[in-house]
Amino acid sequence: MERVYKVYAINNGTVIDHIPTPLALKVVEILGLGNKGILTIGVGFQSKRLPGGKDILKIENRILLKSETDIIALIAPEATINIIQDGKVTKKRIISIPHEIHGVMQCPNPNCATNKLGAHSHFKVEDLEQMTYRCEYCERVTTIIPENLTSPE
Ligand SMILES: [Zn+2]
C-alpha cells in the first residue's frame, strides 16, 4: 500500500515541499496559480523540520522559474523545490530571498501611491537577514506580512 502522502504523484511539473502549515494556499495565491492548471495541495503533514506541520503543493505540467519560486521565500524560506520530469526529480532547487519584489506585496502605508493611485508596487531589499524591504515610492520600510501579499498583477 502506498502511504497516504504519496497518493497522487505527478509525472511532470513542480513540487514545493516544506511549506509551513497552513501557508500552501497563500503560496498558490502569490504565485497566481489559482485558475491555471492542475494543483494538488496537501495540508498539515508531520515534519521534523517544521514542528507546526508542513504543506505540500504539486503543480502539474509547469516548471516554475527561479524568479517565481524565490517569491515563496518571503513566507516559506525553508521550502524546497523539486522539478519533476518524466516521473523523476531532475532538479532540486534551493530558494533564495529575492532582492526585489514586483507586484505581489502591498505597501503598508495607506497614503502610498501604490495604494492611492494604483501604481505598480515595487520593493527593494533593505536588510536581507531581517527580511525588510523598502517601498520604491514612499520609502516605507516593512517586514513581510503574509496578509499584505497578493496575487501578481
Ligand atoms: Zn509605499
Side-chain angles (χ1 to χ4, degrees):
M1 278 286 278
E2 291 256 290
R3 305 248 331 235
V4 173
Y5 66 83
K6 286 186 175 168
V7 73
Y8 189 71
I10 63 171
N11 264 329
N12 290 288
T14 308
V15 175
I16 306 167
D17 198 352
H18 299 104
I19 303 166
T21 300
L23 292 173
L25 288 172
K26 197 72 202 175
V27 172
V28 170
E29 188 185 349
I30 63 176
L31 291 175
L33 297 170
N35 52 3
K36 289 177 202 154
I38 302 169
L39 301 176
T40 310
I41 302 169
V43 175
F45 295 102
Q46 283 187 350
S47 166
K48 277 181 196 154
R49 241 197 280 174
L50 298 166
K54 68 171 185 176
D55 295 353
I56 300 173
L57 174 60
K58 299 181 181 185
I59 304 150
E60 207 156 334
N61 297 325
R62 184 145 170 236
I63 309 296
L64 291 181
L65 304 171
K66 185 159 182 353
S67 59
E68 293 178 293
T69 51
D70 280 353
I71 289 290
I72 299 165
L74 297 175
I75 55 171
E78 299 208 45
T80 49
I81 314 291
N82 290 323
I83 307 297
I84 316 286
Q85 283 166 314
D86 295 324
K88 293 191 188 97
V89 177
T90 54
K91 199 183 244 176
K92 286 183 180 279
R93 186 186 291 156
I94 293 169
I95 56 174
S96 38
I97 292 162
H99 288 238
E100 293 191 38
I101 309 172
H102 289 275
V104 297
M105 190 158 83
Q106 234 185 330
C107 182
N109 172 7
N111 294 318
C112 178
T114 59
N115 291 316
K116 280 243 152 138
L117 306 166
H120 190 82
S121 77
H122 181 200
F123 292 83
K124 283 190 177 163
V125 74
E126 176 81 3
D127 184 324
L128 260 186
E129 252 169 57
Q130 305 285 319
M131 277 182 78
T132 54
Y133 288 86
R134 181 182 292 273
C135 176
E136 283 290 282
Y137 287 88
C138 69
E139 308 215 312
R140 173 82 61 99
V141 173
T142 179
T143 54
I144 301 299
I145 304 161
E147 291 74 48
N148 285 350
L149 295 170
T150 57
S151 293
E153 287 152 26

